[in-house]
Amino acid sequence: MKQSFDARRGFLKTATVAGLALSGPARALAAAVPDPWKAAAGIAQRLANPVKFRKAEYLVTDFGAAPCKLVPVKAWVSFEDQADLPTPVPGAQDCYAAIRAAIEKCHAEGGGRVVIPKGDWFCAGPIVLLSNVNVHLASGAHVYFSNDPADYAKYGDVDCGPNGKLVVSRWQSNDCLNYSPMVYAHNQDNIALTGDDWTAILDGQGGVPFPGRADCWWTWKGKNATINSVAQDKSPNYVPGKLAQNQVNELNPKSLADVAPNLPEEKRRLIQGEGDKWRADDAYLPALSEAGVPLAKRVFGVGHYLRPPMIQLIGCTNVLLEGYQVIHTPFWQHHPVACRNLAIRKVHANSLGPNSDGFDPEACDTVLVEGCQFNTGDDCIAIKAGKNLDTQYGPSQNIVIQKCTMQSGHGAVTLGSEMAGGIQNVYAQNLVFENMNWATNPLNTAIRLKTNMNRGGFLRNFYVRNVSIPNGVQTSPSFYASLPGSPIASKTVATAAGAVVTFDCDYTPRADNVRVRPPEVRNVHISKVKVGNVQTKDGARASCFQAFVILGPVASDYNGPSPAPAVLPVRDVTIMDCDFGTPVNAAHPWYTYNVRGLKLANVMIGGKRYDTTLSA
């Protein structure tokens, strides 16, 4: 492991030093923008040692944990691929109670380190972190979490009757009562989840079939909506008509009036939209938020299809995640919500299933992501900040991302799409978007913003520098369907995949019935991005489909009362000292809409230099 980290560190150093030299126009722009990197250095220094624990160890084996034997099982390892994977034998000893007892005793005695030794361990329930406890996986420790959803509706603090004993959670940035994540903490302080190296593994078994069934966690994704997607065409074992998160669930009421009787009729019709698609679980939860339904009535769990995140920490302070590997997660891999002072270091986020985002800090303040590697079935990093009316935690802010490597994923560094509470002061530097699976499962886009007239919010003060992308990004375009009457026709703007930099303020507009909150995007500075070419299927050399796509908010999407709020263009964006390689779409190397004052300085695209200002 040390050799792997050292090799990557050398690569990062080379990428940093190899940044393009400042030219005359670029120097002028740099002089006009205050240096933000002192603030980034201050955040990193503050989080050098975010936690401190009493020197006491608690071995889970002293509390009755025992390793398990394994058998092979045919499982899904991505959207479309299967392989034989090891899984605990039927009837394997469950270590849930032992791990829980060790954590509770450690916490009660003032804290320390709970150690899971080398070996294979079966856990049929969540690992719940408590204040002043560091749960540590030794080298070679492999925790297999149960692949039975019922095991995550047994131990929660909220008894929801037939829906199970659930926990306070967030699902795609809306509050709910749901299945427990595999690793969970709520309102804790001074906590850590650590490992000796990447042979210390937390395994969500997301693609392993449920007991006695062919479906797995990933089946619940349902039909994929992206047009012309690559390596993400299907959800494992899903066929049309099967219940999933995006299919109507008859357990949900036929009208919002049943759960929000005081909701005005006009607003109810707006939230529900046409037909009954709003009754699918992934639409019903946002509808509850828009209707102002309290958390206690947002009950999911058993009978519903919202997959839990693998690791979810809510309202926690002083957090360290370090040195382990996460694989085969049911949903998002790491999802801290409303956390403060959090560092994630040298973690391998490695899951290629549907929505397997690597790290999604939401409404968090003061975060460091450092030395991690991401290989994901969705965004590698996606910074979020609430959705619909669930913005009580405020913005995500003061986030530093540095010295990381990204492989497969939708976006390498992404902001949104759920960002109703706003995102500000984000610093990303010294990164390698290696994209080693470019031929079969490419990185869709490198630097990505996603929002729309529903998800709204703001992005301001976003800084990126020193990024190496040696194998480019996806060289074919992918799209989302536009709304009727939109000036952006469907299948015309490659916002889903194909550009190195994508700002999409019209993200999946058909997914949201309520579109009344225009987003605001300003003060973005991207510099020293170097993109390499690969050989495409037709034999050409290319780095991307287009260098960048900047799609500002689309005013015609608004469907609220008059007068409509101001719909502002994307503004104060600078791209400088970058080489985007050779786009496939050489005739149109970029796309802009509702953008004001996009400044290009010493930007190379297809061997041609651009020093200009774009407005559209």
Side-chain angles (χ1 to χ4, degrees):
M1 186 58 59
K2 185 178 186 298
Q3 183 178 5
S4 175
F5 279 126
D6 288 345
R8 202 160 50 253
R9 191 177 295 116
F11 187 16
L12 289 163
K13 183 177 180 181
T14 301
T16 302
V17 173
L20 299 177
L22 284 171
S23 68
R27 278 197 300 270
L29 284 172
V33 177
D35 181 7
W37 300 106
K38 288 183 180 179
I43 293 168
Q45 184 176 10
R46 195 177 316 148
L47 294 175
N49 297 291
V51 292
K52 187 176 182 180
F53 300 102
R54 187 173 69 104
K55 292 183 179 179
E57 287 201 349
Y58 300 77
L59 284 170
V60 296
T61 48
D62 293 338
F63 295 81
C68 64
K69 294 183 179 179
L70 305 174
V71 293
V73 61
K74 189 174 184 180
W76 299 90
V77 294
S78 70
F79 284 81
E80 299 174 340
D81 300 317
Q82 289 182 286
D84 286 335
L85 295 179
T87 192
V89 298
Q93 180 174 328
D94 177 11
C95 296
Y96 163 76
I99 296 172
R100 175 175 177 171
I103 291 172
E104 290 179 346
K105 185 174 179 62
C106 177
H107 168 70
E109 294 182 350
R113 191 166 82 153
V114 171
V115 179
I116 301 175
K118 178 180 180 180
D120 299 310
W121 311 89
F122 175 59
C123 189
I127 294 176
V128 180
L129 304 179
L130 299 176
S131 294
N132 301 314
V133 176
N134 173 16
V135 172
H136 182 78
L137 281 72
S139 180
H142 192 136
V143 177
Y144 292 84
F145 286 99
S146 168
N147 58 311
D148 186 347
D151 289 327
Y152 302 95
K154 289 180 179 179
Y155 304 110
D157 295 330
V158 186
D159 191 339
C160 297
N163 296 71
K165 293 183 177 180
L166 308 179
V167 300
V168 174
S169 185
R170 262 202 175 192
W171 194 88
Q172 286 195 339
S173 300
N174 287 126
D175 300 314
C176 61
L177 299 171
N178 197 23
Y179 292 107
S180 175
M182 284 77 210
V183 179
Y184 180 71
H186 190 201
N187 293 339
Q188 302 300 305
D189 176 61
N190 193 46
I191 57 175
L193 178 66
T194 60
D196 282 338
D197 54 42
W198 290 350
T199 67
I201 296 173
L202 296 166
D203 189 338
Q205 300 204 94
V208 175
F210 295 147
R213 298 163 58 188
D215 290 354
C216 61
W217 283 113
W218 294 344
T219 309
W220 290 7
K221 162 69 173 178
K223 184 180 179 181
N224 180 53
T226 305
I227 303 168
N228 194 35
S229 61
V230 176
Q232 53 176 333
D233 289 336
K234 301 175 182 177
S235 296
N237 210 54
Y238 179 78
V239 294
K242 183 175 289 190
L243 284 176
Q245 69 186 47
N246 58 3
Q247 302 301 306
V248 172
N249 188 336
E250 293 296 336
L251 295 179
N252 296 329
K254 290 183 169 57
S255 172
L256 275 174
D258 295 341
V259 289
N262 297 322
L263 190 69
E265 182 64 14
E266 183 179 357
K267 189 171 183 180
R268 182 192 66 78
R269 289 197 301 268
L270 177 64
I271 295 171
Q272 292 184 191
E274 298 293 330
D276 61 356
K277 291 182 180 179
W278 72 278
R279 296 177 64 208
D281 286 338
D282 67 359
Y284 179 56
L285 176 56
L288 294 177
S289 175
E290 289 284 0
V293 175
L295 173 63
K297 293 184 178 181
R298 302 185 194 183
V299 181
F300 290 82
V302 176
H304 295 268
Y305 298 89
L306 302 185
R307 296 160 286 154
M310 180 76 173
I311 299 167
Q312 186 172 63
L313 316 171
I314 300 178
C316 297
T317 55
N318 304 312
V319 179
L320 175 64
L321 306 170
E322 183 173 53
Y324 56 85
Q325 182 176 184
V326 174
I327 62 175
H328 307 314
T329 65
F331 193 60
W332 295 352
Q333 298 183 53
H334 300 85
H335 184 205
V337 179
C339 291
R340 184 179 179 89
N341 298 338
L342 182 150
I344 178 170
R345 292 194 187 92
K346 297 181 180 179
V347 167
H348 191 187
N350 187 21
S351 179
L352 293 175
N355 306 113
S356 289
D357 295 32
F359 181 65
D360 291 17
E362 177 169 358
C364 291
D365 188 351
T366 312
V367 177
L368 174 64
V369 189
E370 185 173 61
C372 296
Q373 181 155 178
F374 298 89
N375 191 38
T376 65
D378 208 308
D379 293 316
C380 296
I381 295 173
I383 300 170
K384 301 179 182 294
K387 186 170 182 279
N388 307 103
L389 303 186
D390 294 339
T391 60
Q392 69 272 27
Y393 298 129
S396 275
Q397 59 188 354
N398 305 320
I399 298 173
V400 175
I401 303 164
Q402 60 188 18
K403 302 176 185 177
C404 295
T405 301
M406 283 71 167
Q407 306 296 353
S408 295
H410 290 186
V413 173
T414 296
L415 308 136
S417 63
E418 303 87 355
M419 51 180 286
I423 299 171
Q424 62 187 0
N425 308 334
V426 177
Y427 313 89
Q429 64 175 336
N430 304 337
L431 302 170
V432 178
F433 302 162
E434 191 172 12
N435 191 22
M436 66 179 180
N437 304 311
W438 61 268
T440 57
N441 190 6
L443 186 66
N444 291 177
T445 187
I447 300 162
R448 189 181 194 193
L449 165 74
K450 302 183 291 185
T451 186
N452 61 23
M453 281 284 195
N454 171 277
R455 303 173 191 218
F458 59 81
L459 168 65
R460 56 190 179 219
N461 309 333
F462 177 38
Y463 303 92
V464 181
R465 70 175 182 180
N466 299 338
V467 179
S468 175
I469 313 176
N471 295 306
V473 298
Q474 184 173 313
T475 57
S476 59
S478 296
F479 313 98
Y480 297 116
S482 301
L483 286 163
S486 171
I488 312 300
S490 295
K491 300 184 183 181
T492 62
V493 182
T495 50
V500 178
V501 177
T502 303
F503 285 8
D504 181 6
C505 297
D506 193 39
Y507 174 72
T508 61
R510 289 174 178 261
D512 299 300
N513 290 334
V514 178
R515 302 183 298 276
V516 298
R517 293 178 283 270
E520 181 183 6
V521 179
R522 62 182 175 86
N523 197 31
V524 178
H525 303 278
I526 300 170
S527 65
K528 297 182 181 177
V529 175
K530 173 71 174 178
V531 189
N533 295 324
V534 296
Q535 186 166 314
T536 62
K537 292 180 180 179
D538 60 6
R541 300 284 296 175
S543 59
C544 55
F545 178 72
Q546 286 178 299
F548 56 86
V549 171
I550 312 294
L551 172 56
V554 178
S556 63
D557 287 356
Y558 179 80
N559 66 351
S562 298
V567 178
L568 300 173
V570 174
R571 62 196 193 277
D572 302 327
V573 177
T574 300
I575 302 175
M576 57 189 281
D577 297 323
C578 294
D579 187 341
F580 287 102
T582 305
V584 168
N585 191 357
H588 302 282
W590 62 69
Y591 175 90
T592 57
Y593 176 88
N594 198 15
V595 178
R596 187 180 72 199
L598 169 59
K599 299 176 182 177
L600 307 182
N602 190 28
V603 172
M604 301 296 296
I605 305 175
K608 182 179 178 180
R609 175 170 165 161
Y610 294 89
D611 296 287
T612 188
T613 299
L614 305 174
S615 295

